[in-house]
Amino acid sequence: MLRITFVIEVLSPSNKRRNGTGRHEYLTKREEFLSSPTHLVELDLLRGGLRLPVVGSLPPGDFYAIISRVKRRPRCEFYAWTLRDKLPSIPVPLKLGDADAVVPLQEVFGTVYQRSRYDLSVKYDAALDPPVNEAEQQWVTQLTAQDKTS
């Protein structure tokens, strides 16, 4: 019999809006996962919007991976990183007794970006939403200028 061991959810803007059905629907689905014998890995790759409710508080960061292991609930593992950091490698829990799979997010997203040719559609000169402070904006501007010359 096939049993789902883990689920990876990538949050969308509608999951993070204060008012709207998207957030309510996601939180309902999330509760179903958290009440099941399935590990849940949530990737919040959006700086804006409401963060997911968690027990305790999130560490400082712009982006998060939240890992909820069946045997450790309601406690979760948090991986946080900033706009300037590369995406981390994160552990993904498998079935009891098996070692975690390590997912190198930077490599995964780099491969998807390249194969999907996002360089042709992403508007790097558009203003960031939500905006960043002046120092971060200067860093972004320098980084995108370097990419245009390479």
Side-chain angles (χ1 to χ4, degrees):
M1 179 173 150
L2 183 63
R3 185 173 81 79
I4 296 173
T5 306
F6 67 89
V7 172
I8 298 177
E9 289 283 342
V10 180
L11 297 182
S12 70
S14 68
N15 300 146
K16 297 186 70 181
R17 286 192 190 105
R18 181 173 306 280
N19 297 318
T21 58
R23 183 169 179 86
H24 175 73
E25 289 171 359
Y26 180 71
L27 292 176
T28 300
K29 180 169 77 168
R30 182 188 200 216
E31 192 56 42
E32 290 173 14
F33 286 131
L34 295 175
S35 299
S36 77
T38 304
H39 305 294
L40 178 60
V41 177
E42 295 169 297
L43 298 177
D44 184 351
L45 305 175
L46 301 167
R47 289 183 311 109
L50 292 176
R51 297 287 178 206
L52 291 173
V54 295
V55 173
S57 58
L58 289 169
D62 295 317
F63 311 103
Y64 296 92
I66 302 171
I67 301 168
S68 175
R69 296 173 187 269
V70 173
K71 298 286 185 188
R72 295 187 187 164
R73 289 186 181 134
R75 294 185 328 206
C76 297
E77 297 166 36
F78 302 109
Y79 294 81
W81 61 99
T82 68
L83 185 63
R84 292 184 186 227
D85 298 326
K86 288 190 175 199
L87 279 71
S89 293
I90 61 167
V92 173
L94 303 175
K95 70 180 184 180
L96 190 61
D98 286 351
D100 292 344
V102 177
V103 178
L105 293 179
Q106 186 69 45
E107 187 178 320
V108 169
F109 280 84
T111 299
V112 170
Y113 179 89
Q114 186 177 43
R115 288 185 183 171
S116 299
R117 298 300 317 261
Y118 283 118
D119 59 318
L120 299 176
S121 60
V122 174
K123 295 177 176 47
Y124 290 101
D125 54 351
L128 293 177
D129 184 25
V132 292
N133 66 38
E134 188 175 329
E136 292 293 311
Q137 184 58 56
Q138 287 175 356
W139 176 79
V140 168
T141 301
Q142 289 174 346
L143 189 65
T144 55
Q146 288 172 1
D147 284 347
K148 288 178 186 176
T149 61
S150 11

